[in-house]
Amino acid sequence: MSQDRYDVLVIGGGPGGYVGAIRAAQLGLRTALAERAALGGICLNWGCIPTKALLHSAAVLRTCRAAAEAGVSIQGSIEPRLDAMVARSRAIAGQLGRGVAHLLKKHGVTVIQGRASLLGEGLVQVQDGPRMQAQHIVLATGARARALPELPPGERVWTYREALAPSSLPASLLVVGAGAIGMEFACFYRALGSDVTVVEAAPQVLPQEDAEIAAVARKAFEAQGIRIHTGCRVASSRVDAQGLRVAFTGDAAPAALYVERAISAAGIVGNVEDLGLEHTRVEVRNTHIVTDGLGRTAQPGVYAIGDVAGAPWLAHKASHEAVRCMEAIAGLPAHALDTRRIPACTYTFPQVASLGWTEARAREWAREHGRELRVGRFPFAANGRALAAGEGAGLAKTIFDAASGELLGSHIVHAEASELIAAHGVAMGLEATEADLMESVFAHPTLGEALHEAVLAAQGAALHV
């Protein structure tokens, strides 16, 4: 049987897969991409982009409701139109999906629709499609929501897919999991008027974030009317015609709740099934493929990138990982990503963004190596631009190694945190020291001045607190 031959075959068309395919084609490699569903993957179609579109709609709603505080009078009632919000979100995802298809075509990447699996010896079979031969096979199959046996998905229990395209607004909603996905949905539905309760097994909301920042965020979430219970798990659930009753376990567990809907956002698992990995030496650990820093697996010629290759489960991590993997395949100098330099953003009200180590992790490192830390904090309540914009809530926090001045961590909770974190991302990437950042000049009045003051505060030299 004849087979199409490629230098690189990418399985999965998400932000890791399609970016990797484009970069491989740019490097002169004959490249194909197999995708079983829609180009752009979960991120573009059912994750990053459509959720941000919905959250933007909710932010506009919140701004209109607070217009009087800015001296603006809006006549008539201010009501959310859920159907229009969802339609706008889906339209944006569709537009970007078409853009991805255009980019792949522009770069000469062959796109094959269908589920692909490895046969061994560089062979890949697409279900109801061609058999292909590739020197390098890159797995970019992503991940999916973890299903809880105590809260199985169904009509009353949504995953992110159902939560992104509801036909009606639930009067009451339980969100299981207070990570980024769970809290973003909690903020969206609360802004539209749902009665929202969040439960989280960890002792804090946003478990991956700095504890101090998470505490500030929790206070803001609760001020919106979101009820939060940490340190508890779902014990059981029972569905009836009108809703579901959920019971909990844990020292801080609430009484059983009866809600119209629930969203399960308790983590993800890698998509490693039906890939034909049994024909390879690829190692899977905790549903994720084990790789080195450049995506190489235990099977020569087989690579894995993005969510299927493990944490951090972020689209921008997948894209950068893909580029480095392809450059290594092409023989260019390449080095592994430093995960400390990958920013994480949560688009709640307010947003939370972080880079590097939390204070707890940094202090653990300091104890192990006999080092001292300098930690600086600056409240946005003391920032003129934040107050002028009506966004004075929040905190900027920086963590430095006292001896070297190395920036170990930057953490922000504020309405514009996701944009602000980029400044310290560049600084960390260029290995700027505390002294360099203190000498940097930020325009006035800007939110960025809060980052500068947080650096100054680490030296006890903050000027406006």
Side-chain angles (χ1 to χ4, degrees):
M1 180 184 294
S2 63
Q3 293 124 13
D4 294 327
R5 295 180 178 272
Y6 297 94
D7 298 317
V8 174
L9 172 61
V10 181
I11 300 178
Y18 84 76
V19 167
I22 289 171
R23 185 60 182 138
Q26 288 176 339
L27 294 169
L29 301 172
R30 187 164 189 258
T31 306
L33 183 150
E35 169 56 55
R36 67 180 182 179
L39 290 172
I42 294 299
C43 174
L44 190 153
N45 294 285
W46 295 103
C48 317
I49 301 303
T51 55
K52 304 313 165 282
L54 290 179
L55 285 163
H56 173 74
S57 294
V60 172
L61 181 66
R62 285 164 52 89
T63 298
C64 290
R65 287 172 174 167
E69 298 174 13
V72 177
S73 176
I74 296 179
Q75 302 299 319
S77 63
I78 302 168
E79 301 296 336
R81 287 184 52 208
L82 182 61
D83 57 343
M85 291 180 180
V86 171
R88 176 179 179 273
S89 171
R90 302 314 308 152
I92 291 170
Q95 177 183 344
L96 289 174
R98 292 188 295 275
V100 169
H102 169 74
L103 288 171
L104 291 167
K105 182 178 180 180
K106 172 185 173 182
H107 287 88
V109 176
T110 300
V111 176
I112 301 104
Q113 192 73 35
R115 181 187 295 274
S117 59
L118 283 65
L119 302 177
E121 304 299 326
L123 289 174
V124 173
Q125 178 68 56
V126 175
Q127 187 177 24
D128 300 324
R131 177 174 292 189
M132 296 169 287
Q133 178 93 41
Q135 185 177 357
H136 305 281
I137 300 169
V138 181
L139 305 175
T141 51
R144 63 187 185 278
R146 183 187 301 276
L148 297 176
E150 301 85 3
L151 198 70
E155 181 185 355
R156 294 290 170 183
V157 179
W158 289 343
T159 66
Y160 53 83
R161 283 180 177 262
E162 294 81 20
L164 279 169
S167 58
S168 61
L169 182 69
S172 55
L173 177 70
L174 169 68
V175 178
V176 179
I181 295 172
M183 290 313 307
E184 286 179 3
F185 277 127
C187 285
F188 172 73
Y189 279 100
R190 181 60 196 142
L192 268 63
S194 295
D195 183 61
V196 178
T197 301
V198 177
V199 296
E200 167 59 50
Q204 69 175 55
V205 297
L206 304 175
Q208 302 303 316
E209 298 294 341
D210 181 87
E212 183 178 13
I213 294 295
V216 174
R218 177 172 182 162
K219 185 176 180 180
F221 300 152
E222 291 177 330
Q224 296 165 43
I226 300 172
R227 287 184 294 275
I228 299 173
H229 301 276
T230 51
C232 67
R233 300 173 181 272
V234 173
S236 64
S237 63
R238 181 168 53 83
V239 176
D240 63 28
Q242 282 73 45
L244 70 159
R245 184 170 298 279
V246 185
F248 307 94
T249 183
D251 294 339
L257 289 176
Y258 187 80
V259 292
E260 185 178 332
R261 307 279 181 186
I263 296 176
S264 180
I268 62 174
V269 295
N271 293 323
V272 295
E273 301 86 358
D274 303 320
L275 287 177
L277 297 182
E278 65 275 12
H279 302 300
T280 72
R281 295 200 296 272
V282 171
E283 181 184 354
V284 176
R285 186 181 304 156
N286 296 326
T287 79
H288 296 285
I289 295 173
V290 177
T291 67
D292 68 2
L294 294 174
R296 293 174 291 217
T297 71
Q299 175 66 48
V302 178
Y303 310 77
I305 58 172
D307 285 0
V308 76
W313 298 289
L314 300 166
H316 44 285
K317 173 258 195 183
S319 296
H320 281 265
E321 207 170 43
V323 169
R324 295 185 185 215
C325 176
M326 297 306 178
E327 291 179 348
I329 286 173
L332 298 179
H335 58 86
L337 279 176
D338 182 349
T339 56
R340 286 192 306 160
R341 296 179 180 178
I342 300 174
C345 300
T346 302
Y347 298 82
T348 42
F349 306 130
Q351 298 177 6
V352 176
S354 61
L355 187 73
W357 287 337
T358 64
E359 183 178 352
R361 175 66 185 92
R363 292 204 178 280
E364 180 182 320
W365 171 84
R367 286 192 298 270
E368 291 173 354
H369 295 85
R371 314 282 282 203
E372 296 293 330
L373 300 180
R374 278 199 286 264
V375 180
R377 301 169 179 84
F378 188 81
F380 281 92
N383 176 269
R385 181 69 181 87
L387 291 176
E391 298 288 1
L395 179 71
K397 179 176 180 178
T398 55
I399 305 165
F400 294 94
D401 173 27
S404 68
E406 179 185 1
L407 177 60
L408 300 176
S410 177
H411 305 272
I412 308 168
V413 53
H414 184 261
E416 300 294 338
S418 63
E419 298 294 337
L420 289 169
I421 198 66
H424 280 168
V426 172
M428 190 177 284
L430 295 175
E431 298 183 349
T433 65
E434 185 178 30
D436 295 326
L437 292 171
M438 291 175 71
E439 291 295 322
S440 299
V441 179
F442 287 78
H444 176 76
T446 62
L447 297 174
E449 289 178 287
L451 301 188
H452 187 230
E453 289 275 3
V455 173
L456 295 175
Q459 281 277 11
L463 299 170
H464 292 91
V465 286

